[in-house]
Amino acid sequence: MITTYSKPATPERISNDVTTTTCYYIRKLLATYSGELQSFIAEGAGLIADAKSDLNHVLESLYLDEPDISVMARELEVLAQLHRSLSGQVKDSISIPGQLAEVERRIFWVLGLKRVDRSGKG
């Protein structure tokens, strides 16, 4: 029997990887806040993300299960898009204060990082 369509032998798998564009964007963000970021992951438990890190390797070291890695990669994709959008709104003065900071906090959290106050206040 001849068919006019092809059926894949295995189901298509969505990539677990963060795209190159998103990696670049997040690494620029990490560079911007490099002096203010600190890992909250136990020493030796995973790679520490910085402006030169392969973010896919960082995710693989922090999240050991394949589904978790995939979810976190997708989360970074969405957060990076949201950050780009909010950054444009900040420039146009139409963003709600705190939204951009919250998105940044979530990006850093996925990567095992948190911002610390180096100014000595609070």
Side-chain angles (χ1 to χ4, degrees):
M1 177 179 201
I2 299 175
T3 60
T4 57
Y5 63 92
S6 64
K7 188 173 183 179
T10 59
E12 291 287 325
R13 189 168 86 65
I14 297 174
S15 173
N16 287 334
D17 293 341
V18 179
T19 63
T20 304
T21 305
T22 298
C23 284
Y24 176 77
Y25 187 85
I26 292 175
R27 287 180 6 209
K28 280 182 26 181
L29 190 62
L30 291 170
T32 300
Y33 293 105
S34 64
E36 301 174 39
L37 295 173
Q38 175 182 327
S39 174
F40 60 82
I41 304 300
E43 189 173 332
L47 299 175
I48 298 174
D50 62 24
K52 296 179 182 178
S53 297
D54 179 328
L55 298 184
N56 290 304
H57 289 155
V58 171
L59 290 179
E60 289 168 3
S61 76
L62 295 175
Y63 305 95
L64 303 178
D65 295 328
E66 200 65 31
D68 292 339
I69 295 168
S70 181
V71 167
M72 292 302 124
R74 295 307 105 215
E75 178 86 1
L76 286 178
E77 291 290 336
V78 170
L79 290 170
Q81 287 178 345
L82 184 56
H83 191 275
R84 276 190 285 271
S85 173
L86 289 172
S87 294
Q89 291 177 14
V90 167
K91 291 175 188 169
D92 296 335
S93 300
I94 57 175
S95 179
I96 297 172
Q99 282 183 326
L100 192 61
E102 177 61 17
V103 171
E104 290 171 353
R105 186 195 67 74
R106 288 174 56 195
I107 289 170
F108 299 146
W109 189 262
V110 168
L111 295 172
L113 301 170
K114 63 181 177 179
R115 282 183 69 183
V116 292
D117 186 6
R118 301 260 188 224
S119 66
K121 295 183 278 186

